[in-house]
Amino acid sequence: MDNVHPKIESSDTEPRKDDFVISGPFRLVKPYHFDFVCSVKQRWAGQTIIDIFEKEFKGRNRAYYENAFKVGKLRVEGPKKKKGRVVTTDTLLNQGERMRHHVHRHEPPVPNIPIQIIEANDDFVVVNKPPGIPVHSAGQYRKNTVHGILQAEHGHLMPMAPSHRLDKPVSGILVFSRNRNAAERIRKAMASGETKKVYVARVLGRFEKDMLVDAPMCFDYNLAKAIVRDNDERDMTSSRKRRHEDDEDEKEEGKKNDPKGDSIFRSAKTVVRLLAHAPDGKTSLVECQPITGRTHQIRAHLSHIGFPIANDVTYGGTWGGYTSTVDLAKSLGITRNLDNPEHTKKTIIHGSEALDVNDIVPEDLRDDVCPHCPYYVARDYPVDLTPLWLHARKYSFCDQEFLAPYPTWAKEDFPSLQ
């Protein structure tokens, strides 16, 4: 291929149907040259561009970044760079300077599951999000997202933007706004507490008593998980009045520094109700209604009361299932070693089955200096596509209510839901 003058995509380039390749249960993206631009963050200041990229973007090794800088694919530019300043691989960068990387991007695979459109009108598009697919562009994902796939397959519905988000392993109702007025309506509904979200989760143990979990929490970014502070859990009959406390009072009451002094505990409340017990009594299906909206709130609250989501390894699930990339790599005995040409990332977890994705990229889509070619799947850590047993079942706002069908993991062992 023409590696001297390849077609370079930017964040404005729209995904197309022929950008994707289906390989068995996976949806892959054809590798493409991408113009990645970012500014030097405060915590990056005082480091060289090579040090920053080696630490923050680990899919490529130091030798690659040094060569990319040498040939001009990695550079510093932009309004924050002083005129006449010469930047070398030893130059310490300042906050706000703009870094640019012309990268040959290999996006991680996602499950090949159709995105069901539940409602599409002039204001909103509502879909049943499959598990294992991120909502929007983030990190290594740009096209292999719910928004990117919809853009490629249902371009007539564009433009639209997500009004809220669901974590990658979570499935269920996801709402997109198609215009500013619609986005503002749902924003105001969220701010005033007029939206209602109902999730279903499959938890360990025999859950018996409906309750309001009232336990402040914060999110620890070093641990990549929520931390819950002990508080009283009240049964529904004694707590019904407290569910409607003024939200501003809740925020003030819930704020408290954690022992490290680097996070804020905020009020968090979740109503948990029993739906059914599995015939073997080992798991229960529960309905969860978050009154507040904290990161990982439902997952952390269920763990806090002793009923973690059964396959949520991060919060105490023991059935094996979705886990972090780093922990998954350790369990599989995989270490990142991009200096080893034999090291490849082709192990993908799909349900309980470990599969190898060995698809080879056609020669005209390869890049001579890319360490991930000739494979579609990048040489990196494994990707976990196991569905988390948490599903956004119902979403209500602006006098509208949308309902998603129960997922397979909820229907298989709970005959009463049929």
Side-chain angles (χ1 to χ4, degrees):
M1 66 173 294
D2 184 0
N3 286 314
V4 178
H5 301 289
K7 177 185 176 182
I8 299 176
E9 299 187 14
S10 70
S11 57
D12 295 327
T13 306
E14 297 181 357
R16 303 171 301 175
K17 282 186 178 181
D18 61 2
D19 289 339
F20 300 93
V21 174
I22 305 302
S23 175
F26 305 116
R27 176 188 288 267
L28 310 177
V29 173
K30 296 177 181 177
Y32 56 96
H33 288 89
F34 182 70
D35 183 22
F36 175 76
V37 180
C38 69
S39 297
V40 177
K41 299 179 182 179
Q42 183 178 9
R43 63 185 175 88
W44 297 348
Q47 302 180 63
T48 69
I49 189 172
I50 305 300
D51 289 338
I52 293 171
F53 271 77
E54 182 186 26
K55 293 175 183 177
E56 301 294 333
F57 307 101
K58 298 179 180 179
R60 291 165 172 78
N61 59 19
R62 188 177 187 86
Y64 165 83
Y65 288 123
E66 290 174 340
N67 185 60
F69 187 89
K70 180 180 179 180
V71 300
K73 288 188 174 184
L74 180 65
R75 60 185 186 272
V76 178
E77 58 180 34
K80 292 289 183 178
K81 182 188 173 206
K82 293 182 180 179
K83 186 176 181 180
R85 183 187 185 202
V86 177
V87 176
T88 70
T89 55
D90 296 322
T91 302
L92 303 183
L93 302 186
N94 302 313
Q95 180 181 354
E97 288 188 301
R98 188 167 64 194
M99 302 178 292
R100 195 172 219 121
H101 183 203
H102 286 177
V103 60
H104 193 236
R105 175 165 279 185
H106 291 241
E107 294 196 26
V110 299
N112 179 29
I113 303 175
I115 300 173
Q116 176 191 7
I117 296 178
I118 294 175
E119 172 74 20
N121 54 44
D122 292 341
D123 292 327
F124 301 104
V125 174
V126 182
V127 304
N128 183 13
K129 173 192 173 300
I133 307 178
V135 171
H136 50 67
S137 298
Q140 301 176 71
Y141 298 89
R142 191 173 74 87
K143 299 181 182 182
N144 244 354
T145 65
V146 176
H147 186 269
I149 295 169
L150 289 175
Q151 194 169 24
E153 297 183 348
H154 302 278
H156 64 285
L157 296 177
M158 297 295 155
M160 63 181 180
S163 295
H164 61 106
R165 65 183 298 273
L166 295 174
D167 289 338
K168 188 181 76 170
V170 178
S171 58
I173 292 289
L174 179 63
V175 180
F176 291 86
S177 300
R178 299 187 68 188
N179 55 66
R180 289 185 179 180
N181 288 337
E184 182 64 11
R185 281 169 56 199
I186 197 168
R187 186 196 67 78
K188 288 182 177 179
M190 288 179 177
S192 62
E194 296 175 19
T195 58
K196 180 181 178 182
K197 303 177 184 178
V198 177
Y199 294 75
V200 293
R202 186 173 184 175
V203 301
L204 283 178
R206 190 174 179 85
F207 184 85
E208 297 287 359
K209 193 176 185 180
D210 296 353
M211 65 172 62
L212 170 67
V213 183
D214 181 2
M217 59 191 294
C218 70
F219 192 82
D220 188 319
Y221 286 93
N222 291 322
L223 298 176
K225 65 184 296 186
I227 307 299
V228 179
R229 190 180 71 198
D230 286 335
N231 206 345
D232 293 332
E233 284 74 50
R234 302 170 176 85
D235 64 53
M236 292 299 296
T237 56
S238 65
S239 64
R240 197 170 301 278
K241 291 183 180 180
R242 289 181 55 86
R243 289 170 53 194
H244 303 287
E245 290 180 341
D246 182 78
D247 186 57
E248 291 304 313
D249 289 340
E250 288 179 358
K251 290 180 181 178
E252 292 304 316
E253 293 172 3
K255 291 181 181 179
K256 184 176 180 181
N257 288 331
D258 73 351
K260 296 180 181 179
D262 57 4
S263 298
I264 297 293
F265 279 89
R266 300 183 185 276
S267 174
K269 298 183 180 183
T270 307
V271 176
V272 185
R273 298 184 178 91
L274 174 67
L275 290 178
H277 294 128
D280 61 8
K282 294 181 179 180
T283 60
S284 303
L285 199 68
V286 297
E287 180 181 274
C288 304
Q289 182 184 342
I291 306 303
T292 52
R294 312 300 178 205
T295 302
H296 288 193
Q297 177 173 316
I298 294 175
R299 298 169 64 182
H301 270 177
L302 290 173
S303 177
H304 180 67
I305 62 175
F307 294 93
I309 296 174
N311 73 338
D312 189 356
V313 178
T314 301
Y315 288 97
T318 58
W319 279 41
Y322 180 78
T323 188
S324 71
T325 297
V326 175
D327 289 341
L328 178 61
K330 289 180 180 177
S331 69
L332 294 173
I334 295 175
T335 57
R336 178 182 277 122
N337 181 14
L338 295 176
D339 295 320
N340 180 359
E342 299 301 320
H343 175 77
T344 60
K345 166 191 171 282
K346 296 189 284 291
T347 302
I348 311 296
I349 300 300
H350 186 73
S352 59
E353 185 179 7
L355 302 174
D356 286 338
V357 182
N358 298 310
D359 299 71
I360 300 295
V361 177
E363 288 190 13
D364 63 331
L365 295 178
R366 299 179 195 174
D367 182 272
D368 292 340
V369 298
C370 176
H372 302 306
C373 286
Y375 298 104
Y376 278 94
V377 178
R379 302 184 184 196
D380 201 329
Y381 275 14
V383 177
D384 192 345
L385 301 181
T386 306
L388 184 68
W389 289 346
L390 179 64
H391 178 73
R393 166 81 167 150
K394 185 187 300 184
Y395 199 105
S396 305
F397 66 95
C398 303
D399 298 322
Q400 301 177 82
E401 181 175 284
F402 301 99
L403 190 69
Y406 283 108
T408 302
W409 52 260
K411 294 186 293 185
E412 285 180 340
D413 295 330
F414 298 92
S416 61
L417 296 180
Q418 305 302 319

